[in-house]
Short mmCIF file of all heavy atoms in Angstrom, two decimals:
data_model
loop_
_atom_site.label_atom_id
_atom_site.label_comp_id
_atom_site.label_asym_id
_atom_site.label_seq_id
_atom_site.Cartn_x
_atom_site.Cartn_y
_atom_site.Cartn_z
N TRP A 123 27.61 -6.25 -62.13
CA TRP A 123 26.99 -7.03 -63.21
C TRP A 123 27.21 -6.35 -64.55
O TRP A 123 26.93 -5.16 -64.72
CB TRP A 123 25.50 -7.25 -62.92
CG TRP A 123 25.29 -7.80 -61.54
CD1 TRP A 123 24.56 -7.24 -60.53
CD2 TRP A 123 25.86 -9.00 -61.00
NE1 TRP A 123 24.65 -8.01 -59.40
CE2 TRP A 123 25.43 -9.10 -59.65
CE3 TRP A 123 26.68 -9.99 -61.51
CZ2 TRP A 123 25.80 -10.16 -58.83
CZ3 TRP A 123 27.06 -11.05 -60.69
CH2 TRP A 123 26.63 -11.13 -59.38
N THR A 124 27.74 -7.11 -65.50
CA THR A 124 28.10 -6.57 -66.81
C THR A 124 27.16 -7.03 -67.92
O THR A 124 27.11 -6.42 -68.99
CB THR A 124 29.54 -6.96 -67.17
OG1 THR A 124 29.71 -8.39 -67.02
CG2 THR A 124 30.53 -6.25 -66.25
N SER A 125 26.42 -8.10 -67.71
CA SER A 125 25.44 -8.56 -68.69
C SER A 125 24.47 -9.51 -68.01
O SER A 125 24.83 -10.19 -67.03
CB SER A 125 26.12 -9.29 -69.87
OG SER A 125 26.76 -10.48 -69.42
N VAL A 126 23.23 -9.52 -68.48
CA VAL A 126 22.22 -10.46 -68.00
C VAL A 126 21.57 -11.10 -69.21
O VAL A 126 20.94 -10.42 -70.02
CB VAL A 126 21.15 -9.76 -67.14
CG1 VAL A 126 20.12 -10.79 -66.68
CG2 VAL A 126 21.78 -9.06 -65.94
N GLU A 127 21.74 -12.39 -69.35
CA GLU A 127 21.18 -13.13 -70.48
C GLU A 127 20.16 -14.14 -69.96
O GLU A 127 20.43 -14.84 -68.98
CB GLU A 127 22.30 -13.85 -71.24
CG GLU A 127 21.82 -14.63 -72.45
CD GLU A 127 22.95 -15.34 -73.18
OE1 GLU A 127 24.09 -15.31 -72.66
OE2 GLU A 127 22.71 -15.92 -74.24
N VAL A 128 19.01 -14.19 -70.59
CA VAL A 128 17.96 -15.13 -70.22
C VAL A 128 17.72 -16.07 -71.40
O VAL A 128 17.47 -15.61 -72.52
CB VAL A 128 16.65 -14.41 -69.84
CG1 VAL A 128 15.57 -15.43 -69.47
CG2 VAL A 128 16.88 -13.45 -68.68
N VAL A 129 17.79 -17.37 -71.17
CA VAL A 129 17.51 -18.36 -72.20
C VAL A 129 16.27 -19.16 -71.80
O VAL A 129 15.97 -19.30 -70.61
CB VAL A 129 18.70 -19.30 -72.45
CG1 VAL A 129 19.91 -18.51 -72.93
CG2 VAL A 129 19.05 -20.10 -71.20
N ALA A 130 15.57 -19.64 -72.79
CA ALA A 130 14.35 -20.39 -72.51
C ALA A 130 14.64 -21.71 -71.82
O ALA A 130 13.93 -22.11 -70.89
CB ALA A 130 13.59 -20.64 -73.82
N ALA A 131 15.67 -22.41 -72.26
CA ALA A 131 16.01 -23.71 -71.66
C ALA A 131 17.46 -24.03 -71.95
O ALA A 131 18.01 -23.62 -72.97
CB ALA A 131 15.10 -24.81 -72.20
N THR A 132 18.07 -24.77 -71.04
CA THR A 132 19.42 -25.25 -71.25
C THR A 132 19.64 -26.45 -70.34
O THR A 132 18.81 -26.73 -69.47
CB THR A 132 20.46 -24.16 -70.96
OG1 THR A 132 21.75 -24.62 -71.41
CG2 THR A 132 20.54 -23.84 -69.48
N GLY A 133 20.75 -27.14 -70.55
CA GLY A 133 21.06 -28.25 -69.66
C GLY A 133 21.43 -27.74 -68.29
O GLY A 133 20.81 -28.08 -67.29
N SER A 134 22.45 -26.89 -68.23
CA SER A 134 22.94 -26.35 -66.96
C SER A 134 23.53 -24.97 -67.21
O SER A 134 24.42 -24.81 -68.06
CB SER A 134 24.00 -27.28 -66.36
OG SER A 134 24.78 -26.62 -65.38
N THR A 135 23.09 -23.98 -66.47
CA THR A 135 23.66 -22.64 -66.62
C THR A 135 25.12 -22.62 -66.19
O THR A 135 25.93 -21.89 -66.76
CB THR A 135 22.86 -21.60 -65.81
OG1 THR A 135 22.81 -21.99 -64.43
CG2 THR A 135 21.45 -21.45 -66.36
N ASN A 136 25.48 -23.43 -65.19
CA ASN A 136 26.88 -23.48 -64.77
C ASN A 136 27.76 -24.00 -65.90
O ASN A 136 28.83 -23.46 -66.19
CB ASN A 136 27.04 -24.36 -63.53
CG ASN A 136 27.22 -23.56 -62.26
OD1 ASN A 136 26.63 -22.50 -62.11
ND2 ASN A 136 28.01 -24.08 -61.33
N THR A 137 27.33 -25.08 -66.54
CA THR A 137 28.11 -25.66 -67.63
C THR A 137 28.26 -24.67 -68.78
O THR A 137 29.34 -24.49 -69.34
CB THR A 137 27.43 -26.94 -68.13
OG1 THR A 137 27.39 -27.90 -67.06
CG2 THR A 137 28.20 -27.56 -69.29
N ASP A 138 27.17 -24.01 -69.13
CA ASP A 138 27.20 -23.06 -70.25
C ASP A 138 28.11 -21.88 -69.95
O ASP A 138 28.92 -21.46 -70.78
CB ASP A 138 25.79 -22.56 -70.55
CG ASP A 138 24.90 -23.63 -71.15
OD1 ASP A 138 25.39 -24.74 -71.41
OD2 ASP A 138 23.70 -23.35 -71.35
N LEU A 139 27.96 -21.31 -68.75
CA LEU A 139 28.76 -20.13 -68.41
C LEU A 139 30.23 -20.50 -68.25
O LEU A 139 31.12 -19.73 -68.65
CB LEU A 139 28.22 -19.48 -67.14
CG LEU A 139 28.70 -18.06 -66.83
CD1 LEU A 139 28.39 -17.12 -67.99
CD2 LEU A 139 28.07 -17.53 -65.55
#
Side-chain angles (χ1 to χ4, degrees):
W123 309 120
T124 52
S125 64
V126 179
E127 181 180 7
V128 180
V129 299
T132 190
S134 162
T135 57
N136 257 35
T137 298
D138 291 355
L139 195 56

